Amino acid sequence: LYTAQDATNIQFSSDIFFTQNPDIPNKITPINGLGMGVSGGFSHFFDEEKKHGFHLMIRDLGFVNYWDLYHYEAKDNYDFSGIEIDDILNLENEFSELKQEDGQSELETILGLEEQQKNVLYFMPTRLQLTYQRPINEKINIKASVLHYISMYPIPRFNAQIDFILGKTTELSPLFTYGAWGKFNSGIQLKQQLKQRYLLTLQAYYFEYLLASKTTTGNAFNISIYRSF
């Protein structure tokens, strides 16, 4: 990748590959592919009553075969000097004017993209997780796990948490993770049982962002409500 000093053009070499769903005329049953997948797990307890042991889980091992996707592919060296836009507040009309007589856009011509319509097979992001759990006493429980999404995570993610049972309906857990797309992360989780069939979960991640916002990526919050049947 090379960018001119005056930013007038960009030169780069790249393999370009992407797909796009076609317009589906039948909106009631918008099926444009078929797939299959399996999930399962195996547990081994050293003490079944205390739930001290290992649990191995595999989820979404399978594929999806999409029908008649628009498929674009190109491999070349490019010199891109941009596209002129006269009215930035009216982008829809601006981009429609870039269409050429053959239906291709100016950008497709520059990149040398060739459009094909064909079936495309995608493998699902299979999840593998091995978890170890050990109760210390009636109030403290520790968990450690290794999680990996095949074809998604560059490296596995290592997780550790300590569950503090504060009462019959409340559980507070510090969270620690390393790997996946980032480095070390920390957070906290609160579980609160609501009545008999409802469970409220509050999660906050990446606490280090609050202390070092310039050197970390950000923070995240999650609220979930579960109902058992």
Side-chain angles (χ1 to χ4, degrees), residues 24 40 56 98 112 120 123 125 131 144 147 181 193 202 229:
I24 302 174
L56 176 64
L98 295 174
V120 179
F123 289 98
T131 303
L147 170 66
W181 292 296
Q193 190 74 37
L202 305 177
F229 296 91

Side-chain angles (χ1 to χ4, degrees), residues 43-58:
S43 297
H44 174 73
F45 294 108
F46 303 109
D47 189 328
E48 188 169 356
E49 182 179 354
K50 295 182 178 180
K51 302 299 182 182
H52 172 209
F54 291 92
H55 180 69
L56 176 64
M57 180 187 68
I58 181 169

Side-chain angles (χ1 to χ4, degrees), residues 67-195:
W67 304 325
D68 298 329
L69 288 185
Y70 291 112
H71 176 79
Y72 301 88
E73 187 172 357
K75 180 179 181 181
D76 206 344
N77 298 317
Y78 304 98
D79 188 338
F80 183 58
S81 56
I83 297 175
E84 294 186 4
I85 297 177
D86 297 326
D87 186 1
I88 196 172
L89 299 178
N90 192 12
L91 291 179
E92 184 175 353
N93 290 338
E94 288 289 329
F95 282 112
S96 65
E97 293 177 359
L98 295 174
K99 287 286 184 179
Q100 302 180 11
E101 294 182 358
D102 59 1
Q104 280 195 314
S105 69
E106 185 175 340
L107 182 59
E108 290 174 350
T109 302
I110 292 172
L111 298 179
L113 295 176
E114 296 183 2
E115 181 185 276
Q116 301 177 2
Q117 194 168 11
K118 63 180 184 179
N119 297 346
V120 179
L121 180 69
Y122 282 104
F123 289 98
M124 299 170 64
T126 303
R127 174 177 175 173
L128 300 173
Q129 183 169 357
L130 177 64
T131 303
Y132 171 74
Q133 175 177 306
R134 178 169 184 173
I136 302 301
N137 52 45
E138 295 182 354
K139 298 294 184 180
I140 300 176
N141 181 45
I142 61 172
K143 295 178 183 176
S145 65
V146 180
L147 170 66
H148 187 58
Y149 279 94
I150 298 176
S151 76
M152 287 184 59
Y153 281 177
I155 61 174
R157 191 180 77 183
F158 300 89
N159 310 288
Q161 71 181 71
I162 305 174
D163 300 329
F164 294 96
I165 302 172
L166 305 181
K168 294 183 179 180
T169 61
T170 306
E171 184 178 295
L172 185 65
S173 307
L175 309 173
F176 307 95
T177 67
Y178 179 86
W181 292 296
K183 296 183 179 179
F184 174 78
N185 296 307
S186 61
I188 195 166
Q189 173 180 269
L190 174 65
K191 290 184 177 181
Q192 179 65 49
Q193 190 74 37
L194 303 176
K195 295 185 177 180

Side-chain angles (χ1 to χ4, degrees), residues 196-212:
Q196 185 176 1
R197 296 186 176 183
Y198 292 91
L199 175 65
L200 173 66
T201 301
L202 305 177
Q203 296 170 322
Y205 299 97
Y206 313 114
F207 270 14
E208 58 276 4
Y209 177 79
L210 303 177
L211 303 176

